Amino acid sequence: MRQGKHRTPHARSRPRPRLLRARVLGAATALCVPVALAGGAAPAPAGAAPAPPGPAAPDGAVPPLAGTPPRPGAAAPPALTTTTTGREDDGVLLTTPAPVGGDLAGAAIYDNAGEPVWWKQGPYMNLEPVTFRGAPALSVFDNTDLGGEYLLLDSSYREIASYRMNGHFTDSHEFEISPDGSRVLLLGFSFVTRDLTAYGGKPDAQVIDAVIQEQDAATGEVLFEWSALDHIPLTETQEPLTEALVDPVHANSLAYDTDGDLLMSARHTSTVYKIDRESGAVRWRLGGAASDFAFADPAQRPSYQHDAQRLPDGRLMLFDNGNRSDPQRSRGAFYELDEAAMTARLTDDVQTPEPVFTVFAGSARQTGNGNVLLGYGSSGTMVEFADGEPVFTGTFPQGTYSYRAIRTDWTGTPATRPTVRWREPGTVEMSWNGATEVDAWRIETGASRRTLTTADTVDRAGFVTTAEVAVADGTEVVRVSAVDADGEVLASRTVTADGTG
């Protein structure tokens, strides 16, 4: 195993049970975003444990549910109010809406109209598109089990693999698969006892150490481990070191650079670090108190940023929260880095006409059509820009936020069947949680399954479609079929007057 510097096992205190990292730091830093629920012991490694994907279940079969049962009338994700211009990307929106300051609540996919496409209730965060074993998949942090883990879901929303840190708590902020698919990157954290009296702190302060692990994607074997406390001096932090528990680095994004090294964003140092994946050495720092790059103007420096990654054109893109900027404002920032002259030039400063300040969380991603989508984290807003102009907005209800907002082209064909509620005499409610290809619903009625005839075909009208159909006397059975744009039946469900089916 490669690692930046060897640490003996006793260098870290035993993980504390049932602690949420952001909350234990107190009210001020609790705004950073919930990270990972710690278990009573260091979590064991979990490699890929694939399960065979399955097609949509035939009518009559009841497979294991994947996601929140999409019953009409069941709890739905928070409303997303959108404005469109026709210039926005047509991909779906991946989010994890949750109450600000509350527990993680679920993972949700929306369309441009703000209609839910898929909703899974639970302690989830950071829903992202990935390619796993050559196929499109979703990754999402799951805080259900001790220590937390990342789940991979196939296009049927079945769990096909899971990954967690080996010997550390798994951090919810990031999960990355290497370009060749053979390795995965995880962020984690541990509690370390340190004497901080030299910094005005406690002699036995608990310090949160940010940890990186690269694991073999097939086996979960740890290939590389890196500790922030071994490589980042405490003097780089912009947070006080006087409390009993301190979080000096707070890593919040991790990505492979184009040369195979790593790019890590650290909120509490306002720095992006380039880390040598072989030696663990910090090759350079962008921003912060020890920046290796010079900026033409202090206002160009990032502050408490998130989501740093290299673009295909060589620039570095990030979401700049601007916590320590004057005035405070959040933006998408694009930097051209000259690694010979060690200068950083802000080439694009993407902001809304009326400045928005996001205290914590946030994302900046290019969309498939070349636009830029900014997720304004704690503000509960996402804005898409084309040539620097806003062309789409999505807003959650006040008090609701999503850690990131990401667009992707996604085709979902759930392993579950559609769900139907038939309320006599002729009200039929239909939904298929996660299905992206449903164009219409075909409704058949009859006295039995053998005597069904088509009563109506209605266009899909959102997450739940409601239709009124003429029902003849003696009708005991209703069958609903999800139909695609070519008129092909994707899946069906039959229900009887007593609600069974």
Side-chain angles (χ1 to χ4, degrees), residues 92-128:
V92 294
L93 297 157
L94 307 186
T95 69
T96 48
V100 175
D103 292 332
L104 303 179
I109 300 176
Y110 296 86
D111 63 20
N112 276 342
E115 283 287 341
V117 174
W118 178 69
W119 168 237
K120 182 176 175 64
Q121 286 180 292
Y124 304 111
M125 182 171 146
N126 193 27
L127 179 67
E128 296 221 29

PDB file of all heavy atoms in Angstrom, residues 92-128:
ATOM      1  N   VAL A  92     -31.661  15.233 -16.608  1.00  0.00           N
ATOM      2  CA  VAL A  92     -32.353  15.282 -15.321  1.00  0.00           C
ATOM      3  C   VAL A  92     -31.439  15.881 -14.259  1.00  0.00           C
ATOM      4  O   VAL A  92     -30.232  16.042 -14.464  1.00  0.00           O
ATOM      5  CB  VAL A  92     -32.833  13.883 -14.891  1.00  0.00           C
ATOM      6  CG1 VAL A  92     -33.893  13.368 -15.836  1.00  0.00           C
ATOM      7  CG2 VAL A  92     -31.659  12.909 -14.785  1.00  0.00           C
ATOM      8  N   LEU A  93     -32.008  16.215 -13.117  1.00  0.00           N
ATOM      9  CA  LEU A  93     -31.291  16.868 -12.020  1.00  0.00           C
ATOM     10  C   LEU A  93     -31.168  15.902 -10.851  1.00  0.00           C
ATOM     11  O   LEU A  93     -32.184  15.403 -10.337  1.00  0.00           O
ATOM     12  CB  LEU A  93     -32.031  18.134 -11.578  1.00  0.00           C
ATOM     13  CG  LEU A  93     -32.146  19.222 -12.647  1.00  0.00           C
ATOM     14  CD1 LEU A  93     -33.325  20.148 -12.350  1.00  0.00           C
ATOM     15  CD2 LEU A  93     -30.853  20.023 -12.741  1.00  0.00           C
ATOM     16  N   LEU A  94     -29.933  15.631 -10.427  1.00  0.00           N
ATOM     17  CA  LEU A  94     -29.673  14.749  -9.293  1.00  0.00           C
ATOM     18  C   LEU A  94     -29.468  15.591  -8.044  1.00  0.00           C
ATOM     19  O   LEU A  94     -28.624  16.484  -8.024  1.00  0.00           O
ATOM     20  CB  LEU A  94     -28.433  13.895  -9.547  1.00  0.00           C
ATOM     21  CG  LEU A  94     -28.377  13.097 -10.849  1.00  0.00           C
ATOM     22  CD1 LEU A  94     -27.150  12.191 -10.851  1.00  0.00           C
ATOM     23  CD2 LEU A  94     -29.640  12.284 -11.073  1.00  0.00           C
ATOM     24  N   THR A  95     -30.224  15.307  -6.989  1.00  0.00           N
ATOM     25  CA  THR A  95     -30.185  16.099  -5.763  1.00  0.00           C
ATOM     26  C   THR A  95     -30.359  15.194  -4.553  1.00  0.00           C
ATOM     27  O   THR A  95     -30.772  14.035  -4.681  1.00  0.00           O
ATOM     28  CB  THR A  95     -31.318  17.147  -5.738  1.00  0.00           C
ATOM     29  OG1 THR A  95     -32.588  16.472  -5.609  1.00  0.00           O
ATOM     30  CG2 THR A  95     -31.336  18.000  -7.007  1.00  0.00           C
ATOM     31  N   THR A  96     -30.049  15.748  -3.374  1.00  0.00           N
ATOM     32  CA  THR A  96     -30.359  15.070  -2.106  1.00  0.00           C
ATOM     33  C   THR A  96     -30.980  16.101  -1.165  1.00  0.00           C
ATOM     34  O   THR A  96     -30.320  16.604  -0.245  1.00  0.00           O
ATOM     35  CB  THR A  96     -29.091  14.448  -1.479  1.00  0.00           C
ATOM     36  OG1 THR A  96     -28.023  15.420  -1.478  1.00  0.00           O
ATOM     37  CG2 THR A  96     -28.644  13.233  -2.250  1.00  0.00           C
ATOM     38  N   PRO A  97     -32.246  16.449  -1.374  1.00  0.00           N
ATOM     39  CA  PRO A  97     -32.877  17.496  -0.560  1.00  0.00           C
ATOM     40  C   PRO A  97     -33.015  17.087   0.895  1.00  0.00           C
ATOM     41  O   PRO A  97     -33.365  15.949   1.211  1.00  0.00           O
ATOM     42  CB  PRO A  97     -34.246  17.684  -1.227  1.00  0.00           C
ATOM     43  CG  PRO A  97     -34.491  16.418  -1.975  1.00  0.00           C
ATOM     44  CD  PRO A  97     -33.152  15.899  -2.386  1.00  0.00           C
ATOM     45  N   ALA A  98     -32.716  18.032   1.786  1.00  0.00           N
ATOM     46  CA  ALA A  98     -32.770  17.785   3.223  1.00  0.00           C
ATOM     47  C   ALA A  98     -33.016  19.108   3.937  1.00  0.00           C
ATOM     48  O   ALA A  98     -32.715  20.182   3.395  1.00  0.00           O
ATOM     49  CB  ALA A  98     -31.463  17.168   3.715  1.00  0.00           C
ATOM     50  N   PRO A  99     -33.552  19.072   5.139  1.00  0.00           N
ATOM     51  CA  PRO A  99     -33.746  20.312   5.892  1.00  0.00           C
ATOM     52  C   PRO A  99     -32.410  20.882   6.361  1.00  0.00           C
ATOM     53  O   PRO A  99     -31.539  20.146   6.809  1.00  0.00           O
ATOM     54  CB  PRO A  99     -34.611  19.881   7.080  1.00  0.00           C
ATOM     55  CG  PRO A  99     -34.356  18.417   7.234  1.00  0.00           C
ATOM     56  CD  PRO A  99     -34.088  17.891   5.861  1.00  0.00           C
ATOM     57  N   VAL A 100     -32.242  22.193   6.224  1.00  0.00           N
ATOM     58  CA  VAL A 100     -31.031  22.844   6.717  1.00  0.00           C
ATOM     59  C   VAL A 100     -30.941  22.639   8.228  1.00  0.00           C
ATOM     60  O   VAL A 100     -31.881  22.928   8.963  1.00  0.00           O
ATOM     61  CB  VAL A 100     -31.042  24.349   6.386  1.00  0.00           C
ATOM     62  CG1 VAL A 100     -29.834  25.040   7.017  1.00  0.00           C
ATOM     63  CG2 VAL A 100     -31.053  24.559   4.873  1.00  0.00           C
ATOM     64  N   GLY A 101     -29.808  22.112   8.689  1.00  0.00           N
ATOM     65  CA  GLY A 101     -29.626  21.863  10.107  1.00  0.00           C
ATOM     66  C   GLY A 101     -30.277  20.593  10.604  1.00  0.00           C
ATOM     67  O   GLY A 101     -30.194  20.274  11.790  1.00  0.00           O
ATOM     68  N   GLY A 102     -30.933  19.842   9.699  1.00  0.00           N
ATOM     69  CA  GLY A 102     -31.604  18.614  10.108  1.00  0.00           C
ATOM     70  C   GLY A 102     -30.887  17.384   9.586  1.00  0.00           C
ATOM     71  O   GLY A 102     -29.763  17.447   9.096  1.00  0.00           O
ATOM     72  N   ASP A 103     -31.562  16.248   9.683  1.00  0.00           N
ATOM     73  CA  ASP A 103     -30.980  14.992   9.248  1.00  0.00           C
ATOM     74  C   ASP A 103     -31.077  14.854   7.729  1.00  0.00           C
ATOM     75  O   ASP A 103     -31.926  15.466   7.081  1.00  0.00           O
ATOM     76  CB  ASP A 103     -31.709  13.817   9.906  1.00  0.00           C
ATOM     77  CG  ASP A 103     -31.469  13.758  11.401  1.00  0.00           C
ATOM     78  OD1 ASP A 103     -30.399  14.225  11.845  1.00  0.00           O
ATOM     79  OD2 ASP A 103     -32.353  13.247  12.123  1.00  0.00           O
ATOM     80  N   LEU A 104     -30.203  14.030   7.176  1.00  0.00           N
ATOM     81  CA  LEU A 104     -30.316  13.697   5.767  1.00  0.00           C
ATOM     82  C   LEU A 104     -31.672  13.045   5.521  1.00  0.00           C
ATOM     83  O   LEU A 104     -32.161  12.283   6.344  1.00  0.00           O
ATOM     84  CB  LEU A 104     -29.188  12.756   5.359  1.00  0.00           C
ATOM     85  CG  LEU A 104     -27.756  13.261   5.623  1.00  0.00           C
ATOM     86  CD1 LEU A 104     -26.744  12.207   5.189  1.00  0.00           C
ATOM     87  CD2 LEU A 104     -27.501  14.577   4.918  1.00  0.00           C
ATOM     88  N   ALA A 105     -32.286  13.353   4.364  1.00  0.00           N
ATOM     89  CA  ALA A 105     -33.687  12.973   4.186  1.00  0.00           C
ATOM     90  C   ALA A 105     -33.962  12.106   2.975  1.00  0.00           C
ATOM     91  O   ALA A 105     -34.950  11.372   2.968  1.00  0.00           O
ATOM     92  CB  ALA A 105     -34.550  14.240   4.106  1.00  0.00           C
ATOM     93  N   GLY A 106     -33.139  12.182   1.926  1.00  0.00           N
ATOM     94  CA  GLY A 106     -33.444  11.368   0.770  1.00  0.00           C
ATOM     95  C   GLY A 106     -32.657  11.773  -0.454  1.00  0.00           C
ATOM     96  O   GLY A 106     -31.947  12.786  -0.468  1.00  0.00           O
ATOM     97  N   ALA A 107     -32.784  10.957  -1.504  1.00  0.00           N
ATOM     98  CA  ALA A 107     -32.173  11.235  -2.804  1.00  0.00           C
ATOM     99  C   ALA A 107     -33.283  11.383  -3.824  1.00  0.00           C
ATOM    100  O   ALA A 107     -34.228  10.587  -3.830  1.00  0.00           O
ATOM    101  CB  ALA A 107     -31.229  10.102  -3.201  1.00  0.00           C
ATOM    102  N   ALA A 108     -33.167  12.402  -4.685  1.00  0.00           N
ATOM    103  CA  ALA A 108     -34.250  12.692  -5.623  1.00  0.00           C
ATOM    104  C   ALA A 108     -33.698  13.081  -6.983  1.00  0.00           C
ATOM    105  O   ALA A 108     -32.689  13.780  -7.089  1.00  0.00           O
ATOM    106  CB  ALA A 108     -35.143  13.811  -5.087  1.00  0.00           C
ATOM    107  N   ILE A 109     -34.389  12.623  -8.029  1.00  0.00           N
ATOM    108  CA  ILE A 109     -34.131  13.049  -9.395  1.00  0.00           C
ATOM    109  C   ILE A 109     -35.345  13.833  -9.866  1.00  0.00           C
ATOM    110  O   ILE A 109     -36.487  13.407  -9.671  1.00  0.00           O
ATOM    111  CB  ILE A 109     -33.881  11.842 -10.322  1.00  0.00           C
ATOM    112  CG1 ILE A 109     -32.675  11.027  -9.839  1.00  0.00           C
ATOM    113  CG2 ILE A 109     -33.674  12.292 -11.758  1.00  0.00           C
ATOM    114  CD1 ILE A 109     -32.434   9.762 -10.648  1.00  0.00           C
ATOM    115  N   TYR A 110     -35.102  14.993 -10.484  1.00  0.00           N
ATOM    116  CA  TYR A 110     -36.179  15.841 -10.997  1.00  0.00           C
ATOM    117  C   TYR A 110     -35.978  16.084 -12.487  1.00  0.00           C
ATOM    118  O   TYR A 110     -34.854  16.014 -12.999  1.00  0.00           O
ATOM    119  CB  TYR A 110     -36.183  17.212 -10.296  1.00  0.00           C
ATOM    120  CG  TYR A 110     -36.479  17.193  -8.817  1.00  0.00           C
ATOM    121  CD1 TYR A 110     -35.455  16.988  -7.883  1.00  0.00           C
ATOM    122  CD2 TYR A 110     -37.768  17.395  -8.341  1.00  0.00           C
ATOM    123  CE1 TYR A 110     -35.717  16.994  -6.519  1.00  0.00           C
ATOM    124  CE2 TYR A 110     -38.040  17.414  -6.975  1.00  0.00           C
ATOM    125  CZ  TYR A 110     -37.014  17.207  -6.064  1.00  0.00           C
ATOM    126  OH  TYR A 110     -37.274  17.214  -4.721  1.00  0.00           O
ATOM    127  N   ASP A 111     -37.076  16.436 -13.177  1.00  0.00           N
ATOM    128  CA  ASP A 111     -36.950  16.898 -14.553  1.00  0.00           C
ATOM    129  C   ASP A 111     -36.979  18.421 -14.575  1.00  0.00           C
ATOM    130  O   ASP A 111     -37.072  19.076 -13.525  1.00  0.00           O
ATOM    131  CB  ASP A 111     -38.037  16.282 -15.449  1.00  0.00           C
ATOM    132  CG  ASP A 111     -39.464  16.682 -15.069  1.00  0.00           C
ATOM    133  OD1 ASP A 111     -39.648  17.712 -14.364  1.00  0.00           O
ATOM    134  OD2 ASP A 111     -40.396  15.970 -15.486  1.00  0.00           O
ATOM    135  N   ASN A 112     -36.907  19.005 -15.765  1.00  0.00           N
ATOM    136  CA  ASN A 112     -36.816  20.462 -15.864  1.00  0.00           C
ATOM    137  C   ASN A 112     -38.083  21.177 -15.423  1.00  0.00           C
ATOM    138  O   ASN A 112     -38.043  22.380 -15.130  1.00  0.00           O
ATOM    139  CB  ASN A 112     -36.462  20.872 -17.293  1.00  0.00           C
ATOM    140  CG  ASN A 112     -34.970  20.825 -17.544  1.00  0.00           C
ATOM    141  OD1 ASN A 112     -34.171  20.818 -16.613  1.00  0.00           O
ATOM    142  ND2 ASN A 112     -34.571  20.787 -18.813  1.00  0.00           N
ATOM    143  N   ALA A 113     -39.184  20.456 -15.386  1.00  0.00           N
ATOM    144  CA  ALA A 113     -40.424  21.055 -14.902  1.00  0.00           C
ATOM    145  C   ALA A 113     -40.515  21.010 -13.381  1.00  0.00           C
ATOM    146  O   ALA A 113     -41.486  21.528 -12.810  1.00  0.00           O
ATOM    147  CB  ALA A 113     -41.625  20.341 -15.519  1.00  0.00           C
ATOM    148  N   GLY A 114     -39.517  20.419 -12.738  1.00  0.00           N
ATOM    149  CA  GLY A 114     -39.544  20.294 -11.285  1.00  0.00           C
ATOM    150  C   GLY A 114     -40.311  19.076 -10.809  1.00  0.00           C
ATOM    151  O   GLY A 114     -40.512  18.886  -9.606  1.00  0.00           O
ATOM    152  N   GLU A 115     -40.736  18.225 -11.759  1.00  0.00           N
ATOM    153  CA  GLU A 115     -41.455  17.000 -11.387  1.00  0.00           C
ATOM    154  C   GLU A 115     -40.462  15.938 -10.920  1.00  0.00           C
ATOM    155  O   GLU A 115     -39.428  15.732 -11.563  1.00  0.00           O
ATOM    156  CB  GLU A 115     -42.252  16.468 -12.568  1.00  0.00           C
ATOM    157  CG  GLU A 115     -43.534  17.217 -12.840  1.00  0.00           C
ATOM    158  CD  GLU A 115     -44.613  16.927 -11.801  1.00  0.00           C
ATOM    159  OE1 GLU A 115     -44.512  15.896 -11.094  1.00  0.00           O
ATOM    160  OE2 GLU A 115     -45.542  17.740 -11.693  1.00  0.00           O
ATOM    161  N   PRO A 116     -40.774  15.241  -9.841  1.00  0.00           N
ATOM    162  CA  PRO A 116     -39.893  14.137  -9.433  1.00  0.00           C
ATOM    163  C   PRO A 116     -39.888  13.034 -10.480  1.00  0.00           C
ATOM    164  O   PRO A 116     -40.918  12.740 -11.100  1.00  0.00           O
ATOM    165  CB  PRO A 116     -40.524  13.648  -8.126  1.00  0.00           C
ATOM    166  CG  PRO A 116     -41.405  14.767  -7.661  1.00  0.00           C
ATOM    167  CD  PRO A 116     -41.885  15.454  -8.890  1.00  0.00           C
ATOM    168  N   VAL A 117     -38.735  12.453 -10.680  1.00  0.00           N
ATOM    169  CA  VAL A 117     -38.579  11.274 -11.524  1.00  0.00           C
ATOM    170  C   VAL A 117     -38.326  10.055 -10.639  1.00  0.00           C
ATOM    171  O   VAL A 117     -38.871   8.977 -10.876  1.00  0.00           O
ATOM    172  CB  VAL A 117     -37.420  11.465 -12.518  1.00  0.00           C
ATOM    173  CG1 VAL A 117     -37.149  10.175 -13.297  1.00  0.00           C
ATOM    174  CG2 VAL A 117     -37.704  12.619 -13.466  1.00  0.00           C
ATOM    175  N   TRP A 118     -37.514  10.240  -9.614  1.00  0.00           N
ATOM    176  CA  TRP A 118     -37.202   9.157  -8.670  1.00  0.00           C
ATOM    177  C   TRP A 118     -37.004   9.754  -7.295  1.00  0.00           C
ATOM    178  O   TRP A 118     -36.455  10.851  -7.137  1.00  0.00           O
ATOM    179  CB  TRP A 118     -35.912   8.440  -9.114  1.00  0.00           C
ATOM    180  CG  TRP A 118     -35.465   7.329  -8.205  1.00  0.00           C
ATOM    181  CD1 TRP A 118     -36.083   6.141  -8.009  1.00  0.00           C
ATOM    182  CD2 TRP A 118     -34.275   7.303  -7.395  1.00  0.00           C
ATOM    183  NE1 TRP A 118     -35.349   5.369  -7.128  1.00  0.00           N
ATOM    184  CE2 TRP A 118     -34.237   6.061  -6.740  1.00  0.00           C
ATOM    185  CE3 TRP A 118     -33.233   8.213  -7.178  1.00  0.00           C
ATOM    186  CZ2 TRP A 118     -33.211   5.697  -5.868  1.00  0.00           C
ATOM    187  CZ3 TRP A 118     -32.206   7.862  -6.315  1.00  0.00           C
ATOM    188  CH2 TRP A 118     -32.211   6.605  -5.670  1.00  0.00           C
ATOM    189  N   TRP A 119     -37.440   9.016  -6.303  1.00  0.00           N
ATOM    190  CA  TRP A 119     -37.337   9.483  -4.917  1.00  0.00           C
ATOM    191  C   TRP A 119     -37.086   8.298  -4.011  1.00  0.00           C
ATOM    192  O   TRP A 119     -37.803   7.286  -4.073  1.00  0.00           O
ATOM    193  CB  TRP A 119     -38.627  10.190  -4.515  1.00  0.00           C
ATOM    194  CG  TRP A 119     -38.823  10.499  -3.053  1.00  0.00           C
ATOM    195  CD1 TRP A 119     -39.869  10.104  -2.279  1.00  0.00           C
ATOM    196  CD2 TRP A 119     -37.992  11.302  -2.197  1.00  0.00           C
ATOM    197  NE1 TRP A 119     -39.741  10.598  -0.995  1.00  0.00           N
ATOM    198  CE2 TRP A 119     -38.591  11.334  -0.916  1.00  0.00           C
ATOM    199  CE3 TRP A 119     -36.785  11.978  -2.399  1.00  0.00           C
ATOM    200  CZ2 TRP A 119     -38.032  12.028   0.149  1.00  0.00           C
ATOM    201  CZ3 TRP A 119     -36.234  12.665  -1.318  1.00  0.00           C
ATOM    202  CH2 TRP A 119     -36.863  12.695  -0.074  1.00  0.00           C
ATOM    203  N   LYS A 120     -36.046   8.408  -3.203  1.00  0.00           N
ATOM    204  CA  LYS A 120     -35.719   7.357  -2.234  1.00  0.00           C
ATOM    205  C   LYS A 120     -35.504   8.016  -0.887  1.00  0.00           C
ATOM    206  O   LYS A 120     -34.540   8.760  -0.694  1.00  0.00           O
ATOM    207  CB  LYS A 120     -34.472   6.590  -2.666  1.00  0.00           C
ATOM    208  CG  LYS A 120     -34.085   5.428  -1.740  1.00  0.00           C
ATOM    209  CD  LYS A 120     -32.897   4.675  -2.315  1.00  0.00           C
ATOM    210  CE  LYS A 120     -32.385   3.582  -1.374  1.00  0.00           C
ATOM    211  NZ  LYS A 120     -33.381   2.509  -1.143  1.00  0.00           N
ATOM    212  N   GLN A 121     -36.424   7.782   0.030  1.00  0.00           N
ATOM    213  CA  GLN A 121     -36.296   8.355   1.363  1.00  0.00           C
ATOM    214  C   GLN A 121     -35.187   7.657   2.129  1.00  0.00           C
ATOM    215  O   GLN A 121     -34.941   6.466   1.959  1.00  0.00           O
ATOM    216  CB  GLN A 121     -37.606   8.215   2.132  1.00  0.00           C
ATOM    217  CG  GLN A 121     -38.709   9.164   1.678  1.00  0.00           C
ATOM    218  CD  GLN A 121     -39.970   8.955   2.494  1.00  0.00           C
ATOM    219  OE1 GLN A 121     -40.627   7.918   2.391  1.00  0.00           O
ATOM    220  NE2 GLN A 121     -40.316   9.938   3.301  1.00  0.00           N
ATOM    221  N   GLY A 122     -34.513   8.414   2.996  1.00  0.00           N
ATOM    222  CA  GLY A 122     -33.477   7.834   3.826  1.00  0.00           C
ATOM    223  C   GLY A 122     -32.328   8.792   4.031  1.00  0.00           C
ATOM    224  O   GLY A 122     -32.303   9.891   3.476  1.00  0.00           O
ATOM    225  N   PRO A 123     -31.328   8.395   4.809  1.00  0.00           N
ATOM    226  CA  PRO A 123     -30.195   9.274   5.133  1.00  0.00           C
ATOM    227  C   PRO A 123     -29.157   9.288   4.014  1.00  0.00           C
ATOM    228  O   PRO A 123     -28.058   8.746   4.150  1.00  0.00           O
ATOM    229  CB  PRO A 123     -29.643   8.664   6.417  1.00  0.00           C
ATOM    230  CG  PRO A 123     -29.935   7.195   6.266  1.00  0.00           C
ATOM    231  CD  PRO A 123     -31.253   7.114   5.537  1.00  0.00           C
ATOM    232  N   TYR A 124     -29.521   9.907   2.890  1.00  0.00           N
ATOM    233  CA  TYR A 124     -28.669   9.890   1.706  1.00  0.00           C
ATOM    234  C   TYR A 124     -28.117  11.269   1.395  1.00  0.00           C
ATOM    235  O   TYR A 124     -28.759  12.290   1.668  1.00  0.00           O
ATOM    236  CB  TYR A 124     -29.444   9.354   0.507  1.00  0.00           C
ATOM    237  CG  TYR A 124     -30.031   7.992   0.744  1.00  0.00           C
ATOM    238  CD1 TYR A 124     -31.413   7.815   0.859  1.00  0.00           C
ATOM    239  CD2 TYR A 124     -29.206   6.878   0.882  1.00  0.00           C
ATOM    240  CE1 TYR A 124     -31.949   6.564   1.108  1.00  0.00           C
ATOM    241  CE2 TYR A 124     -29.737   5.626   1.133  1.00  0.00           C
ATOM    242  CZ  TYR A 124     -31.116   5.471   1.246  1.00  0.00           C
ATOM    243  OH  TYR A 124     -31.634   4.230   1.505  1.00  0.00           O
ATOM    244  N   MET A 125     -26.935  11.284   0.771  1.00  0.00           N
ATOM    245  CA  MET A 125     -26.293  12.541   0.390  1.00  0.00           C
ATOM    246  C   MET A 125     -25.386  12.290  -0.805  1.00  0.00           C
ATOM    247  O   MET A 125     -24.849  11.197  -0.969  1.00  0.00           O
ATOM    248  CB  MET A 125     -25.485  13.098   1.564  1.00  0.00           C
ATOM    249  CG  MET A 125     -24.805  14.437   1.291  1.00  0.00           C
ATOM    250  SD  MET A 125     -24.106  15.120   2.821  1.00  0.00           S
ATOM    251  CE  MET A 125     -22.641  15.928   2.172  1.00  0.00           C
ATOM    252  N   ASN A 126     -25.250  13.306  -1.635  1.00  0.00           N
ATOM    253  CA  ASN A 126     -24.314  13.309  -2.763  1.00  0.00           C
ATOM    254  C   ASN A 126     -24.650  12.234  -3.799  1.00  0.00           C
ATOM    255  O   ASN A 126     -23.900  11.281  -4.007  1.00  0.00           O
ATOM    256  CB  ASN A 126     -22.864  13.154  -2.287  1.00  0.00           C
ATOM    257  CG  ASN A 126     -21.881  13.472  -3.408  1.00  0.00           C
ATOM    258  OD1 ASN A 126     -22.189  14.247  -4.321  1.00  0.00           O
ATOM    259  ND2 ASN A 126     -20.698  12.891  -3.353  1.00  0.00           N
ATOM    260  N   LEU A 127     -25.764  12.437  -4.487  1.00  0.00           N
ATOM    261  CA  LEU A 127     -26.186  11.564  -5.573  1.00  0.00           C
ATOM    262  C   LEU A 127     -25.489  12.014  -6.861  1.00  0.00           C
ATOM    263  O   LEU A 127     -25.621  13.164  -7.274  1.00  0.00           O
ATOM    264  CB  LEU A 127     -27.701  11.645  -5.730  1.00  0.00           C
ATOM    265  CG  LEU A 127     -28.328  10.807  -6.835  1.00  0.00           C
ATOM    266  CD1 LEU A 127     -28.181   9.319  -6.531  1.00  0.00           C
ATOM    267  CD2 LEU A 127     -29.805  11.184  -7.002  1.00  0.00           C
ATOM    268  N   GLU A 128     -24.734  11.085  -7.482  1.00  0.00           N
ATOM    269  CA  GLU A 128     -23.949  11.454  -8.664  1.00  0.00           C
ATOM    270  C   GLU A 128     -24.011  10.369  -9.730  1.00  0.00           C
ATOM    271  O   GLU A 128     -24.136   9.183  -9.415  1.00  0.00           O
ATOM    272  CB  GLU A 128     -22.475  11.676  -8.282  1.00  0.00           C
ATOM    273  CG  GLU A 128     -22.255  12.836  -7.341  1.00  0.00           C
ATOM    274  CD  GLU A 128     -21.012  13.628  -7.727  1.00  0.00           C
ATOM    275  OE1 GLU A 128     -20.661  13.665  -8.916  1.00  0.00           O
ATOM    276  OE2 GLU A 128     -20.405  14.197  -6.812  1.00  0.00           O
TER     277      GLU A 128
END
